[in-house]
Amino acid sequence: MSTAKPVTPAPPGSEAAEALRSSEQRFRALFEHSSEVITLLAADGTVLYASQPASPVLGYGPTENVGRKVFELIHPDDRSGALELFAGLMQEPGHVVRSELRTQHKDGTWRRLEVVGVNRLSEPAIGAVVVNYRDITDRERTERDLRETLSLLNATFESTADGLLVVDLAGHIVSFNRKFAELWRIPDSILETKDAPRTIAFVLEQLVDPQGFITKVRDLYARPDASSFDVLVFKDGRIFERLSQPQRIGGKSVGRVWSFRDVTEAKRAERIQLATYRISEAAHAAGSLQELFRAIHAIVGELMAAKNFYIALYDAASDLLTFPYYVDEYDSDFPAKRPGKGLTEYVLRTGEPLLVTPEVQAELERRGQVELIGAPSIDWVGVPLKIGDRPIGVLVAQTYAPGVRYGETERHILQFVSTQVAMAIERKRTEEQLHESERKYRLLFETNPEPMFVYDFETLRILAVNGAAITRYGYSEAEFLALTIRDIRPVEEQGRLEQELARRPDDGAIRTGVRHRAKDGRLFEVDLVARPLEFAGRRARLVLARDVTAQRHLEDQLRQSQKMEAVGQLAGGIAHDFNNLLTAILGSTQLLLQVTPPGDVRREDVDEIRNAGLRAAELTRQLLAFSRRQVLAPKVLELNAVVANMDKMLRRLIGEDIELATALHAEAGAVNADPGQLEQVLLNLVVNARDAMPGGGRVLIETTRVLLRDELVERRHRLPPGDYACLAVTDSGAGMDESTQAHLFEPFFTTKEVGKGTGLGLATVYGIVKQSGGYIWVYSEPGRGTTVKVYLPRVPGAAEPPLPAPELPALRGGHETVLLVEDAAPVRTLARRSLEARGYTVLDAADGPSAIELSARHAGAIAVLVTDVVMPGMSGRELAERLAPTRPEMKVLYTSGYTDDAMVRQGVLNAGVAFLQKPFVPDSLARKVRDVLDS
């Protein structure tokens, strides 16, 4: 052991020496058995000695810090304070100094120590500054945690929604939170004294049952370990829940905790909610509206003071306010009236609840919004009765006694029950109207001109029928009531019926296109409207079955007419534009033929162009005629001759990758048809066959005779008995499925990609065949190609020879001036050249405004106006009318791709005007102009 400093030894055996040894032994024993660390420091703070406690504090051994300045171990922030304390020790020997500071552990962490130091430098047995220290790090952490816990508990204690009171076993107040004081409304002057008797006395004055309260308190104080829960009722209507639990520390009861919760609003809400249920029950139980009104008054009276009470109902249809129920201390007469400016009408008008105190009444009167009606009340509260957003009346309570006042609580009560009251009133009124409604229903059911019946929702048995159903179906009423709805549906409709029954909507359904069967087996189509109803206590359906058989036939005819009209309109428009092109083509070929001498090798090519143009013009004329739904110029034709004449054109049309074969039988014979239309049929069928084989294939055209003695019916086709010439076109293309075939002849239906077809080809074929009295059949399967057969009635005799062309008069020209107006540049150029070649002076314009300007600039006479009828911006007729005032002697010749009859029917031209139909050739134009000028 290191000594504090050298000490001069006492003579051996002397009494002083013995005392010194004894002191050193006691001091050593104290060092070695102390629970704290004892360190001896020199006057400069050097460690001279450190004891070894039972558990190391800083982790160092007894000699590890000897010779080291103790201040090196102290935290830098605490070092200056430690030096000041040490300096103070040096100045006051024997003075004890206490402090807390942070010292570094051997592992590098900082530990908080409690240090006690005393200057013993002057004492011979010690000769050092003695420092005792112990580790208080854990104790400080525990104290901090305890402070935080107490702070949390205190915050919880003060922030809870319940009022808390803590007492000891004798009932003395230990603590309470602010909520306790607020709930009980106890003045601070009483609570601050924690005087339990005064506090209890203040509490007892507020309770309805003070004796029960004090009895419970005494009982629990006598049983420290007991718990309790009860409900306290206040004189002012408040309701508290009270919970008492023993306070235990270490498993031993040391006091009691009282908890109080204000449940006034919750209890009131429960009572109001219960009241709504009771009102609903009253609506079911009451035998009349008056009985229901009395029950409502009684229920509201249990929730609030409602001695004076009335119900007002408003009928919007008659604009009348009635008072079917009222109880009032002063007013005994509540007559029906039209809405005025009373408080009741104010609530009805605004649709909002209203609490009226004398001050509110005065203000409303001052603003002119209400007038005093009847005896003046002190407080008045009214709420609207509504079904959804529709006001049906007002629920009102009022008081005449100063001691009974209304506030927001009463307004809330009436508002809460008003919805249930309105529903109950409406339900009862509905019940009273039900008998009248049932009588009217029976009358409507029996006298309805459409068949009606009622069937059981579960068994499907018919429960009732009206007279119209008996007449239409042919069953007697007794027979009807023995049937189910399955019995009036044909066998093929049973599957659909089962599907409909499996998916019956709760609100009924509308079914169209349903077939029913009468008693005699006849089938007819009906539209059904089914609605749910309760019939004789059973779940049922009311069905109206409207016979639409005749209507469906008319609708089919209308749809077909509309389809054909659509085809006609489109065809007419296309043909009009095409005629402009044909005019230029045919006119140019005529001019070429005029300048090409016979025998010239080019003349054959020009003739071929001209013939193709003429055929196109013929087809165009037929298309225009088809748009008018007329058949033009039918004649007896040899079917084989028609096919043979088109052979060359068809081969060019289908291309080199498709083989065209014909099999024409001589017995096919003759038919009565328009040549252009028949060619159109064949052309469209071959084009369709070509388009079905984009990779090439084979097209076969056949003719034959078919003689039927019986009607032939197959799938969608029907062919009556007769003698027919059959034209068949077969391709080796992709074929069609059943779904495609079902729509094949519908206008605008096409299976081709966009831009490859209009969907009119087969629709046109169908129309032409039908107009010619024929039939068309289609046979096709996917991957097996398609065959289309056209059956036309054969006619006896040989085909008619072509009619000789009428002998035309010699073509003459002239020297007059012609104003030519045509929007199509090729047609305008051709017409100008043609007329100028015949000696005429031609002024040409592309549209109406240009023609008007040209006429104004021309000083001389204009003999004739040649104008297209349909042009952008200004029509030909409008142009002629605009020029007529300045050139009254000028004649007019109209041209158009439409027929003259079409122009008249559409109101474009008047009957009898000069008209030239496109396409025309130069000679026909020149001849027509001469005819107009000479007329």
Side-chain angles (χ1 to χ4, degrees):
M1 172 180 174
S2 299
T3 56
K5 65 177 182 176
V7 179
T8 302
S14 68
E15 186 175 333
E18 187 65 28
L20 181 59
R21 277 195 306 274
S22 176
S23 175
E24 288 178 349
Q25 290 174 352
R26 287 196 302 272
F27 193 57
R28 184 184 301 275
L30 177 64
F31 272 33
E32 293 176 351
H33 294 91
S34 174
S35 61
E36 299 181 354
V37 178
I38 302 175
T39 299
L40 301 182
L41 303 178
D44 60 355
T46 302
V47 177
L48 302 175
Y49 169 82
S51 67
Q52 179 63 47
S55 56
V57 175
L58 297 178
Y60 298 103
T63 61
E64 280 189 72
N65 287 325
V66 172
R68 185 178 181 183
K69 296 289 186 181
V70 71
F71 302 110
E72 297 176 6
L73 300 175
I74 297 174
H75 192 280
D77 293 344
D78 298 343
R79 194 172 296 160
S80 60
L83 289 170
E84 291 180 5
L85 290 173
F86 194 79
L89 285 175
M90 294 297 98
Q91 297 296 325
E92 299 183 58
H95 178 65
V96 177
V97 176
R98 299 179 184 275
S99 181
E100 294 181 4
L101 49 81
R102 288 167 289 176
T103 308
Q104 191 171 37
H105 193 276
K106 187 176 181 179
D107 63 7
T109 61
W110 296 98
R111 311 290 290 181
R112 182 167 288 277
L113 305 180
E114 183 180 65
V115 180
V116 179
V118 62
N119 184 350
R120 302 289 188 185
L121 289 171
S122 60
E123 297 180 18
I126 300 175
V129 175
V130 179
V131 178
N132 293 19
Y133 64 86
R134 59 176 175 168
D135 189 348
I136 62 170
T137 305
D138 293 337
R139 186 190 75 184
E140 185 183 62
R141 184 182 300 112
T142 301
E143 291 174 351
R144 184 177 66 251
D145 291 345
L146 179 60
R147 285 193 301 271
E148 291 176 354
T149 300
L150 290 175
S151 175
L152 177 61
L153 288 174
N154 185 64
T156 303
F157 188 69
E158 287 297 336
S159 62
T160 180
D162 296 338
L164 299 178
L165 174 68
V166 182
V167 298
D168 60 18
L169 291 177
H172 300 134
I173 296 175
V174 175
S175 63
F176 56 87
N177 66 357
R178 178 49 49 187
K179 190 65 176 180
F180 170 78
E182 293 173 357
L183 289 177
W184 286 96
R185 302 171 183 173
I186 303 173
D188 291 342
S189 59
I190 295 178
L191 285 175
E192 288 172 357
T193 64
K194 294 187 178 181
D195 188 331
R198 287 183 64 194
T199 302
I200 290 177
F202 187 87
V203 165
L204 293 178
E205 294 178 356
Q206 304 180 55
L207 299 173
V208 172
D209 183 16
Q211 187 58 46
F213 178 88
I214 198 65
T215 299
K216 174 65 71 172
V217 170
R218 289 170 180 169
D219 175 62
L220 290 175
Y221 284 170
R223 296 183 296 131
D225 294 325
S227 299
S228 173
F229 174 82
D230 60 350
V231 176
L232 305 177
V233 180
F234 286 64
K235 293 177 181 178
D236 61 5
R238 287 180 296 153
I239 302 174
F240 284 5
E241 288 181 348
R242 174 173 64 172
L243 175 65
S244 182
Q245 294 278 8
Q247 181 187 19
R248 293 185 175 91
I249 297 179
K252 181 181 179 180
S253 295
V254 298
R256 180 168 295 280
V257 178
W258 296 92
S259 174
F260 302 93
R261 177 172 295 176
D262 188 345
V263 294
T264 307
E265 292 303 321
K267 293 295 183 182
R268 180 180 290 117
E270 290 177 4
R271 291 169 58 203
I272 295 175
Q273 187 66 52
L274 179 60
T276 62
Y277 296 143
R278 292 174 60 195
I279 291 171
S280 179
E281 292 174 355
H284 289 286
S288 66
L289 272 173
Q290 283 300 315
E291 188 176 338
L292 173 62
F293 294 151
R294 286 192 293 271
I296 292 172
H297 187 186
I299 293 169
V300 172
E302 296 175 9
L303 301 175
M304 57 178 280
K307 184 177 180 180
N308 300 281
F309 181 87
Y310 66 85
I311 296 172
L313 297 181
Y314 175 67
D315 180 37
S318 61
D319 192 28
L320 201 62
L321 190 64
T322 61
F323 301 85
Y325 181 84
Y326 55 88
V327 174
D328 195 274
E329 294 180 75
Y330 296 96
D331 284 340
S332 58
D333 186 20
F334 284 71
K337 62 175 183 175
R338 296 198 181 279
K341 298 186 71 174
L343 290 173
T344 304
E345 294 93 318
Y346 182 86
V347 172
L348 190 66
R349 188 166 59 251
T350 62
E352 297 295 333
L354 180 65
L355 171 63
V356 180
T357 61
E359 295 78 16
V360 173
Q361 174 80 33
E363 177 61 21
L364 291 174
E365 290 180 7
R366 185 189 67 79
R367 296 204 303 251
Q369 294 179 319
V370 301
E371 295 175 354
L372 179 61
I373 299 175
S377 58
I378 296 179
D379 289 337
W380 185 99
V381 60
V383 296
L385 298 175
K386 295 181 179 180
I387 299 298
D389 293 331
R390 177 172 59 90
I392 65 168
V394 181
L395 187 68
V396 177
Q398 55 187 335
T399 173
Y400 298 104
V404 181
R405 299 301 302 270
Y406 289 155
E408 288 301 316
T409 298
E410 286 72 24
R411 185 190 63 80
H412 173 72
I413 290 173
L414 282 188
Q415 185 177 1
F416 192 89
V417 302
S418 65
T419 300
Q420 196 64 42
V421 170
M423 292 174 60
I425 293 173
E426 190 72 3
R427 184 184 303 116
K428 185 55 63 178
R429 289 203 299 189
T430 301
E431 289 175 2
E432 291 185 350
Q433 295 167 357
L434 182 59
H435 298 298
E436 178 64 16
S437 176
E438 288 178 348
R439 187 187 67 82
K440 292 179 180 178
Y441 155 76
R442 175 58 60 182
L443 181 63
L444 290 173
F445 181 78
E446 292 294 346
T447 60
N448 197 309
E450 299 287 357
M452 297 183 73
F453 56 86
V454 178
Y455 75 89
D456 188 289
F457 188 83
E458 302 296 337
T459 67
L460 308 183
R461 183 168 297 280
I462 296 175
L463 304 176
V465 293
N466 68 352
I470 293 172
T471 301
R472 184 65 185 87
Y473 288 81
Y475 295 102
S476 67
E477 183 176 6
E479 289 173 330
F480 244 128
L481 299 184
L483 302 176
T484 71
I485 60 173
R486 288 192 176 94
D487 297 323
I488 60 176
R489 296 284 279 267
V491 175
E492 57 270 22
E493 287 267 329
Q494 295 298 321
R496 175 181 175 179
L497 175 60
E498 295 303 323
Q499 293 178 355
E500 292 171 352
L501 293 175
R503 301 192 303 268
R504 283 182 289 183
D506 292 339
D507 58 348
I510 297 176
R511 311 286 186 194
T512 59
V514 177
R515 288 193 297 167
H516 276 185
R517 183 180 59 198
K519 183 179 180 179
D520 60 7
R522 288 183 297 109
L523 299 180
F524 57 96
E525 189 172 343
V526 295
D527 285 349
L528 302 178
V529 179
R531 290 291 179 261
L533 83 160
E534 185 174 321
F535 187 89
R538 305 181 192 180
R539 189 181 179 194
R541 284 285 193 269
L542 171 65
V543 178
L544 184 146
R546 188 163 64 91
D547 187 348
V548 295
T549 307
Q551 178 183 330
R552 290 291 184 265
H553 288 316
L554 292 175
E555 289 174 354
D556 290 342
Q557 294 174 12
L558 176 60
R559 277 193 294 271
Q560 182 64 22
S561 173
Q562 290 172 337
K563 290 178 182 178
M564 300 308 293
E565 182 67 22
V567 173
Q569 288 178 357
L570 186 59
I574 294 173
H576 171 263
D577 293 338
F578 194 47
N579 272 333
N580 283 334
L581 301 177
L582 290 175
T583 299
I585 293 172
L586 293 175
S588 297
T589 55
Q590 187 179 66
L591 293 177
L592 283 173
L593 287 173
Q594 290 175 355
V595 299
T596 305
D600 192 317
V601 293
R602 293 173 297 180
R603 190 176 183 88
E604 182 180 354
D605 293 333
V606 176
D607 280 333
E608 190 64 30
I609 295 173
R610 179 176 178 275
N611 291 335
L614 291 174
R615 283 197 298 273
E618 177 68 18
L619 292 175
T620 304
R621 280 192 292 273
Q622 301 308 313
L623 199 57
L624 287 170
F626 178 69
S627 71
R628 296 169 58 194
R629 304 179 69 182
Q630 295 179 7
V631 178
L632 298 183
K635 59 180 65 178
V636 177
L637 303 171
E638 284 290 341
L639 188 57
N640 290 344
V642 173
V643 175
N645 290 338
M646 294 188 68
D647 183 272
K648 188 176 181 180
M649 184 182 72
L650 292 176
R651 292 184 186 279
R652 293 177 181 175
L653 183 67
I654 62 177
E656 297 179 354
D657 58 344
I658 295 178
E659 176 190 355
L660 176 63
T662 59
L664 310 179
H665 294 82
E667 65 269 19
V671 296
N672 188 28
D674 186 289
Q677 287 183 330
L678 192 54
E679 289 178 355
Q680 183 74 62
V681 168
L682 182 57
L683 178 67
N684 286 8
L685 293 179
V686 172
V687 168
N688 261 35
R690 179 200 65 187
D691 293 343
M693 302 178 293
R698 185 172 187 267
V699 176
L700 174 62
I701 303 175
E702 298 177 273
T703 62
T704 186
R705 179 182 183 185
V706 176
L707 182 61
L708 290 180
R709 290 182 172 82
D710 298 309
E711 184 177 53
L712 179 61
V713 177
E714 181 182 338
R715 295 192 300 176
R716 294 180 300 276
H717 307 308
R718 171 185 168 275
L719 189 61
D723 191 4
Y724 297 95
C726 177
L727 170 66
V729 178
T730 302
D731 66 65
S732 59
M736 296 175 287
D737 57 20
E738 284 289 336
S739 175
T740 301
Q741 293 180 58
H743 301 282
L744 198 58
F745 298 114
E746 293 181 2
F748 310 115
F749 175 78
T750 180
T751 58
K752 301 171 187 176
E753 62 185 62
V754 176
K756 297 295 184 181
T758 64
L760 290 171
L762 290 179
T764 302
V765 168
Y766 181 85
I768 293 173
V769 171
K770 286 298 181 181
Q771 287 175 326
S772 302
Y775 300 87
I776 184 166
W777 283 29
V778 178
Y779 302 86
S780 185
E781 293 181 17
R784 303 288 296 273
T786 300
T787 296
V788 181
K789 292 185 177 182
V790 174
Y791 295 89
L792 296 173
R794 293 178 77 251
V795 295
E800 299 179 20
L803 293 176
E807 186 175 345
L808 297 177
L811 183 60
R812 295 183 300 112
H815 301 285
E816 293 91 344
T817 299
V818 179
L819 176 57
L820 172 66
V821 186
E822 169 62 56
D823 60 313
V827 177
R828 187 171 68 254
T829 300
L830 174 68
R832 179 175 51 77
R833 290 173 55 194
S834 301
L835 293 174
E836 287 177 343
R838 299 297 175 184
Y840 297 104
T841 301
V842 179
L843 308 174
D844 64 312
D847 52 44
S850 300
I852 293 173
E853 183 180 351
L854 188 59
S855 173
R857 291 202 309 265
H858 183 70
I862 297 178
V864 63
L865 167 66
V866 179
T867 177
D868 191 7
V869 175
V870 180
M871 294 184 296
M874 181 184 298
S875 70
R877 185 182 70 174
E878 184 180 355
L879 171 62
E881 292 173 350
R882 295 276 295 272
L883 291 176
T886 58
R887 297 188 180 272
E889 301 300 324
M890 182 180 67
K891 297 183 179 181
V892 181
L893 170 61
Y894 294 102
T895 67
S896 176
Y898 293 106
T899 64
D900 52 351
D901 184 54
M903 293 290 98
V904 172
R905 285 189 293 108
Q906 296 174 18
V908 178
L909 298 177
N910 296 320
V913 300
F915 180 81
L916 178 62
Q917 184 175 344
K918 297 177 182 178
F920 53 76
V921 294
D923 287 354
S924 61
L925 173 62
R927 183 173 285 108
K928 189 68 176 179
V929 168
R930 189 70 260 166
D931 289 345
V932 171
L933 290 172
D934 293 342
S935 63

